Amino acid sequence: MRPYVIVNIAMSADGKISTRERRQVRISGAQDFARVDRLKAACDAVMVGIGTVLADDPSLTIKSEECRRYRRKQGWDDHPVRIVIDSSGRISPEASILNKGEGKRVVVVSKRADASTISLLERKATLIVAGEDEVDLQVLMNELGAMGIHRVLVEGGGTLIAGLIKEGLVNEIYTFIGNVIIGGKDAPTFSDGEGFILESAFPRLSLQEARRIEQGILLHWIVENTYHDSD
Ligand code: NAP
């Protein structure tokens, strides 16, 4: 069974998720961080693209003791499985996501990755090979389902999110819009990639909630017509 996929991202008031130099910026505050920690704690896995790992070096661990306690009560590991989408295996074995906190890691490569890279990364993570050139996200989701991963939180970046949306694999979206303007036509946005041209191809969203958090607003969307096995 293919996992249910939730995307969470923080963007500036002008829709940017970082600067044009792809430098990580603080867009949301403590309350939103705590919300994301709880959202993450309720998922089996957290996923990011290699662009985010190279730019931000996130660990994607659960930060609050309360959330980790909740997970232990469910009989789960302290941290969700951490998944990196990385066709040629560019991730450093020293990356925080492969080293900080207990728990399982998965690096997803394509056939582009060479054998020596794979064997090096296998010391730190479970390797999945999916796709010829870039990672085949459909194949990947089926593999994750077979591994017992039923709920995935995607934490960026814009290229991976665009890929997942294009494949119709995103079920739910949280966008926190913060009170800063980043600007720059080349600064990453929520969904980069090639984009859609035909209006009929635009994915449609259904707004579930709009909630003020500190100086920003959280929008919660359901993606319409997204296939999910439990439907
Ligand atoms: P990304 O989305 O994290 O990773 C994209 C990379 O994933 C691709 O370039 C590609 O690299 C790999 N990939 C493999 N198969 C793919 C597929 N089928 N579809 C899409 N991607 C695939 O990178 P990004 O767009 O550069 O985003 C990084 C930026 O986002 C950083 O500046 C970071 O700070 C920002 N960010 C912001 C937030 C926020 O909440 N504000 C959250 C996360 C990230 P290969 O070809 O090498 O495999």
Side-chain angles (χ1 to χ4, degrees):
M1 189 167 103
R2 208 191 269 173
Y4 189 83
V5 176
I6 303 166
V7 170
N8 183 83
I9 212 92
M11 61 172 76
S12 59
D14 58 327
K16 308 295 182 185
I17 64 168
S18 72
T19 66
R20 69 173 193 273
E21 294 171 320
R22 295 186 129 62
R23 198 166 41 80
Q24 189 179 24
V25 280
R26 196 179 168 96
I27 294 171
S28 57
Q31 272 186 38
D32 195 59
F33 267 54
R35 174 193 65 83
V36 179
D37 213 36
R38 288 193 296 273
L39 183 63
K40 203 183 311 184
C43 289
D44 301 315
V46 197
M47 180 186 287
V48 285
I50 182 62
T52 297
V53 172
L54 296 176
D56 304 349
D57 191 28
S59 67
L60 302 182
T61 51
I62 301 291
K63 303 296 183 290
S64 91
E65 177 51 34
E66 191 189 342
C67 287
R68 289 195 298 266
R69 207 175 317 119
Y70 162 80
R71 290 184 58 86
R72 287 196 289 270
K73 259 194 199 161
Q74 314 300 313
W76 302 341
D77 286 346
D78 276 17
H79 309 289
V81 177
R82 284 165 280 166
I83 304 172
V84 183
I85 308 303
D86 181 14
S87 315
S88 51
R90 290 190 284 153
I91 190 169
S92 158
E94 306 314 316
S96 295
I97 200 166
L98 298 182
N99 294 285
K100 284 198 181 153
E102 303 280 298
K104 300 185 188 69
R105 280 88 173 176
V106 174
V107 176
V108 190
V109 297
S110 68
K111 289 185 184 158
R112 218 203 295 167
D114 58 48
S116 59
T117 304
I118 291 182
S119 68
L120 193 67
L121 291 174
E122 267 172 343
R123 291 183 205 159
K124 299 275 179 146
T126 301
L127 266 277
I128 294 180
V129 183
E132 295 292 326
D133 184 24
E134 62 174 16
V135 170
D136 185 325
L137 299 169
Q138 299 278 359
V139 170
L140 169 65
M141 289 300 172
N142 290 332
E143 291 250 354
L144 294 180
M147 288 167 68
I149 292 176
H150 303 304
R151 201 172 168 84
V152 175
L153 179 66
V154 178
E155 292 216 65
T159 308
L160 174 61
I161 293 171
L164 290 164
I165 288 177
K166 189 172 142 212
E167 294 293 325
L169 291 169
V170 176
N171 298 95
E172 216 172 301
I173 298 171
Y174 289 90
T175 45
F176 176 82
I177 303 171
N179 62 329
V180 287
I181 292 175
I182 296 177
K185 63 179 165 43
D186 296 326
T189 67
F190 171 82
S191 180
D192 289 329
E194 290 175 359
F196 299 97
I197 295 170
L198 295 176
E199 262 186 61
S200 57
F202 295 173
R204 300 281 158 185
L205 311 178
S206 154
L207 184 64
Q208 305 298 296
E209 191 191 3
R211 173 163 42 115
R212 182 182 174 138
I213 300 180
E214 295 167 324
Q215 287 297 307
I217 189 154
L218 175 71
L219 301 177
H220 178 201
W221 307 94
I222 298 284
V223 185
E224 289 178 357
N225 306 320
T226 299
Y227 171 80
H228 187 252
D229 293 295
S230 65
D231 289 345

